[in-house]
Amino acid sequence: MPVESIFPRLEALLPKVQKPIQYVGGELNSTVKDWDSADVRWALMYPDAYEVGLPNQGVAILYEILNELPATLAERTYAVWPDLEALMRAEGVPQFTVDGHRPVRAFDVLGVSFSTELGYTNMLTALDLAGIPLLAVDRGDDDPIVLAGGHAAFNPEPVADFLDAAVLGDGEQISIAISEVVREWKAEGRPGGRDELLMRLAESGGVYVPKFYDVDYHPDGRIKRVAPNRADVPWRVHKHTVMDLDEWPYPKKPLVPLAETVHERFSVEIFRGCTRGCRFCQAGMITRPVRERSITTIGAMVENGIKESGFNEVGLLSLSSADHSEIADVAKGLADRYEGTNTSLSLPSTRVDAFNIDLANEFSRNGRRSGLTFAPEGGSERMRKVINKMVTEEDLIRTVTTAYSQGWRQVKLYFMCGLPTEQDEDVLGIADLAKKVIKAGREATGSRDIRCTVSIGGFVPKPHTPFQWAGQADHETVDRRLRALRDSLRGDRQYGRAIGFRYHDGKPSIVEGLLSRGDRRVGSVIRAVWEDGGRFDGWSEHFSYERWTAAAEKAGVDVDWYTTREREENEVLPWDHLDAGLDREWLWQDWQEAVSGGEVEDCRWTPCYDCGVCPTMGTEIQIGPTGRKLLPLTVV
């Protein structure tokens, strides 16, 4: 039977809320399929506001892939702001999709994409508004399968009680496979109910179902073991890796937002994975190996995306876009192709040691030179060796000097505070580096119209990285070091006015640390925070450290035990049964190398250093050059 749209009930509420346009749907390239034409129905959620969620590539890709299947439909839902939440509760309006405004509980699967752990409370709000029981154990056959994905799903244990299942890694192929399992189960008359469907998903080894795993603890609180409680469930669940990105040129029809969003451009992922080996970077570790899109596929995706969307900016995305083996040809080919048009190109992520001025000039040929962003991450050369960010001070000064001399006037430098082995002088070294950047820029240009912005984030140790065993710096230490850095920058009469300073205090990082390396016992803290009004914890104006610490104390959870405590090599970590492909012994050895200042080369260009991914996953690094060129679209 068709599911009725709740829009008539929602529409009456929209004049009473801020930014009502974010809830109305109907964007260019959005899809509303006939409900009865589909056997399997997905609600895809990014657990944040529309303005953050709509540009998310992961959701956009799955949205298209699933809707291309003839008997499957997919719609999108986002976190609603507290003003609308209150009205929905008062009027009995359920969590809805923005495409067909259908109630989320009517779908077969609710797929939630977590880029950050700070979206967990927003998921609980959506479940509650939808009328879906918060705890997976309380759900019946009529409730959707609540499925997590995204980078934060590589340790889903803190939200395991709220999830039916989780998927690790690339979603393109496994989402189709899950759809087929659900379709077959429904076609057979739903034998065995919800439990049977979850068993079918778990038996494949490609979907993690937390209820089929028991966790035992030592008396001191450490995990003793995580073991399956069903005979046909695998001991370890492996991540998924798409090995030919050219076969998956999505998004083909990019969504064009109705409301203002954080990124308003057409984005093309030019390669996936990174082997630079930055020890703090979970994304680089869990997305290995490197898989490049060919120059011709990139060109075709850019051409099609501009035509289908009307965007006049194209972002070439990856974890380090300038590392693409054909990036020079990509940049020149696209700049030639779109010269004289209103289409501009951007390269959002650029490493200091991969940047060159020819590349920057190509990308700014049809656009404006607004600014360049580099991420040295560590304030001293010693710290950069610890984190394996092999960028010297000379590299940075030479790069920014070249940029300033070629007409750029604004450079942004990104660093982290609270890194393992960090001392006060390492953080104060950020001020010295920023001052040298301004000095070099003034000398290169003969002008004082030079700006540098220093942006600082708090370091959070992440699962599946060499720093997963590290103790996190407490927020008092981080805040004290940041205050000293601020005073050093502002107190310099010669350079202080030319240096902007942006930073986040250490408290949100501690909460993120609790969630990123937590186990199932942290779930009670998340629920208590949500019940106390916790929403949009990734937004500073909504975040409350006191709410989190009070909830942890109430639940008997020691925040320091999960955050500032250093782990031993043989301790069972909450995510050890979830396989990102990385050899645990290699990660431990790299952690020891970090403490001693040892460096690891990029295995794209050097012999394999045996991280374990390629043999474990049956994958391999895929890089060019292909030798192909981009041609103009029309004869000039």
Side-chain angles (χ1 to χ4, degrees), residues 3 8 19 95 99 108 119 128 133 136 176 221 226 247 253 321-322 337 346 377 385 438 459 475 479 506 609:
V3 171
K19 297 184 181 178
Q95 180 78 21
D99 298 289
D108 299 305
D128 191 55
I176 296 174
V226 179
E247 291 185 355
K253 295 187 177 226
S321 296
R337 177 178 282 186
S346 64
E377 310 288 2
K385 286 185 177 180
I438 295 297
F459 167 69
H475 70 85
D479 289 346
Y609 47 68

Side-chain angles (χ1 to χ4, degrees), residues 376-394 396 414-416 419-434 436 599:
E377 310 288 2
S380 67
E381 198 137 333
R382 186 192 73 82
M383 277 312 315
R384 291 191 289 275
K385 286 185 177 180
V386 168
I387 63 178
N388 204 50
K389 190 85 174 188
M390 292 179 286
V391 175
T392 66
E393 182 177 300
E394 291 73 24
L396 179 63
Y414 182 80
F415 299 89
M416 285 187 289
L419 289 161
T421 79
E422 180 184 272
Q423 301 297 319
D424 290 3
E425 55 266 27
D426 296 310
V427 177
L428 290 174
I430 296 172
D432 295 333
L433 200 54
K436 289 176 181 176
E599 297 176 340

Side-chain angles (χ1 to χ4, degrees), residues 10 30 61 70 112 223 239 248 265 288 309 349 487 498 508 622:
L10 174 68
S30 62
I61 289 169
V112 188
I223 294 175
K239 77 168 182 179
W248 302 87
R265 63 184 177 220
R288 295 178 178 204
S309 69
S349 54
D487 294 343
Q622 293 180 343

Side-chain angles (χ1 to χ4, degrees), residues 311-349:
F311 282 121
N312 60 10
E313 181 182 347
V314 177
L316 303 185
L317 304 187
S318 75
L319 291 174
S320 182
S321 296
D323 282 339
H324 192 287
S325 63
E326 295 183 296
I327 191 62
D329 288 335
V330 170
K332 185 178 187 308
L334 290 176
D336 286 346
R337 177 178 282 186
Y338 296 104
E339 186 168 17
T341 70
N342 67 342
T343 300
S344 63
L345 308 171
S346 64
L347 202 65
S349 54

Side-chain angles (χ1 to χ4, degrees), residues 435-619:
K435 293 170 189 176
K436 289 176 181 176
V437 164
I438 295 297
K439 182 174 183 290
R442 288 175 177 176
E443 291 176 352
T445 63
S447 169
R448 296 182 67 84
D449 182 25
I450 296 294
R451 292 282 300 167
C452 169
T453 299
V454 171
S455 183
I456 313 281
F459 167 69
V460 178
K462 292 287 186 177
H464 306 286
T465 71
F467 289 159
Q468 64 183 359
W469 290 277
Q472 185 174 352
D474 59 78
H475 70 85
E476 293 90 350
T477 300
V478 170
D479 289 346
R480 177 177 56 77
R481 288 173 178 165
L482 290 176
R483 284 193 299 270
L485 175 59
R486 178 196 61 195
D487 294 343
S488 176
L489 289 170
R490 291 181 178 174
D492 191 293
R493 297 176 62 86
Q494 187 175 6
Y495 299 112
R497 290 180 178 273
I499 301 172
F501 185 49
R502 298 175 183 171
Y503 67 95
H504 300 286
D505 65 60
K507 290 179 179 178
S509 297
I510 289 294
V511 172
E512 188 180 343
L514 169 68
L515 300 178
S516 68
R517 291 195 292 175
D519 54 39
R520 295 186 183 184
R521 293 168 291 190
V522 174
S524 60
V525 181
I526 298 169
R527 181 167 183 171
V529 167
W530 174 78
E531 289 174 341
D532 192 37
R535 308 286 191 275
F536 291 93
D537 288 292
W539 296 68
S540 58
E541 59 266 41
H542 294 275
F543 175 80
S544 168
Y545 182 72
E546 291 70 27
R547 181 187 286 134
W548 280 94
T549 53
E553 186 176 353
K554 179 181 176 182
V557 169
D558 184 347
V559 174
D560 289 343
W561 193 82
Y562 284 98
T563 56
T564 59
R565 177 179 67 94
E566 187 169 316
R567 280 72 167 163
E568 298 294 329
E569 179 182 7
N570 61 356
E571 178 173 340
V572 176
L573 303 175
W575 52 90
D576 277 346
H577 59 298
L578 304 173
D579 185 13
L582 296 151
D583 183 76
R584 197 179 195 271
E585 292 182 7
W586 178 82
L587 286 172
W588 175 263
Q589 185 58 44
D590 205 36
W591 167 226
Q592 304 309 299
E593 289 280 338
V595 175
S596 62
E599 297 176 340
V600 177
E601 296 288 337
D602 186 342
C603 65
R604 261 173 293 197
W605 324 115
T606 62
C608 171
Y609 47 68
D610 204 23
C611 75
V613 168
C614 292
T616 300
M617 297 289 156
T619 58

Side-chain angles (χ1 to χ4, degrees), residues 142 148 189 224 233 235 246 294 348 370 378 406 415 463 503 514 533 587:
D142 292 333
K224 187 175 183 179
V233 173
W235 280 81
D246 281 357
S294 67
S370 54
Q406 293 294 314
F415 299 89
Y503 67 95
L514 169 68
L587 286 172

